[in-house]
């Protein structure tokens, strides 16, 4: 089985270690490479899936939207999000899925986040879209650095969410950081994490993000938890067998 990750940047991604560990654990012969590509490189890789050279792809920033346009067909969920992060060959057709939504749901369900707290989503891109859909039906608020971006996203998705100003503190909310802030040591606006009752931080780096550190004893789902959850869903799409999640989680943190 030959798999690949596409995006820019990809050098620091932990996806190769996660998926190679899963393949080894299940004694599946295969490889998983990281390719730094642009839109043209994405299209070339999609062709490779179609002709059988590759068995599957993960797609990360900034190519998830382009991947939706590049595949022959996509799941209803991927179409609704407007992004594909998993590509496979299904009945001879190159097909796109979005495992971020289920990955968020899985990671959230395995956490100790309070059930009745409002949820503040930070961001207005594909990760924020996945968060809104994963937690649709909860009391949702959204804030974006791009003024009006959060409201536009919620409207496009058909999800009920109240837009608030970037940097607003919502006491008693669970904060979902669906921005890249933290990957290079950046902090979220003052008071946002301190006023929360839980943190779901999709960003991750070589060490804990400032937001995770600020969260202290609050319930936390970090970017590695999220990465493993969505990776397990991708692995199952490609292989058709249950993913060895415990093995993948250990490999993600080595």
């Amino acid at each position: 089985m030959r798999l690949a990750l596409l995006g820019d940047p990809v050098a620091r991604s932990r996806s190769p270690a996660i998926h190679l560990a899963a393949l080894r654990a299940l004694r599946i012969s295969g490889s998983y490479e990281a390719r730094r590509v642009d839109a043209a490189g994405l299209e070339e890789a999609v062709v490779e899936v179609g002709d059988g050279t590759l068995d599957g792809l993960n797609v990360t920033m900034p190519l998830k939207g382009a991947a939706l346009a590049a595949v022959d067909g996509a799941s209803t969920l991927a179409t609704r999000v407007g992004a594909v992060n998993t590509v496979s060959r299904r009945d001879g057709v190159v097909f796109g899925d979005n495992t971020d939504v289920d990955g968020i749901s899985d990671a959230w369900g395995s956490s100790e986040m309070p059930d009745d707290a409002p949820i503040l989503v930070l961001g207005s891109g594909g990760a924020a879209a996945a968060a809104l859909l994963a937690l649709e039906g909860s009391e949702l608020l959204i804030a974006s650095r791009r003024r009006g971006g959060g409201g536009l996203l919620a409207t496009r998705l058909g999800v009920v969410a109240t837009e608030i100003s970037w940097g607003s503190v919502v006491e008693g909310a669970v904060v979902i950081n669906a921005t890249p802030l933290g990957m290079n040591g950046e902090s979220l606006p003052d008071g946002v994490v301190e006023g929360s009752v839980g943190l779901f931080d999709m960003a991750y780096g070589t060490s804990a993000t400032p937001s995770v550190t600020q969260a202290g004893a609050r319930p936390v789902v970090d970017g590695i938890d999220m990465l493993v959850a969505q990776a397990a869903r991708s692995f199952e799409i490609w292989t058709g067998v249950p993913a060895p999640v415990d093995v993948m989680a250990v490999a993600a943190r080595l």
Side-chain angles (χ1 to χ4, degrees), residues 185-224:
E186 309 94 339
S187 297
L188 294 176
D190 290 344
V192 169
V193 175
E194 292 87 343
S196 73
V197 293
L199 174 68
F200 192 122
D201 192 359
M202 295 191 195
Y204 72 90
T206 55
S207 58
T209 65
S211 298
V212 168
T213 301
Q214 290 168 358
R218 297 172 179 83
V220 169
V221 174
D222 68 15
I224 300 299

Side-chain angles (χ1 to χ4, degrees), residues 34-122:
R35 295 185 184 180
R36 181 184 177 188
V37 299
D38 56 11
L42 165 68
E43 292 179 2
E44 291 172 4
V46 168
V47 171
E48 290 182 66
V49 174
D51 67 20
T53 302
L54 289 172
D55 295 292
L57 300 170
N58 276 144
V59 183
T60 188
M61 299 183 296
L63 298 173
K64 293 183 182 181
L68 178 60
V71 295
D72 298 326
S75 68
T76 300
L77 190 57
T79 302
R80 193 176 177 197
V81 175
V84 159
N85 78 329
T86 303
V87 178
S88 61
R89 190 172 54 258
R90 187 178 300 182
D91 299 324
V93 172
V94 180
F95 196 82
D97 285 285
N98 187 298
T99 66
D100 288 334
V101 177
D102 287 335
I104 292 168
S105 297
D106 292 346
W108 185 281
S110 299
S111 73
E112 298 180 354
M113 295 297 175
D115 294 329
D116 56 351
I119 298 167
L120 171 59
V121 178
L122 304 179

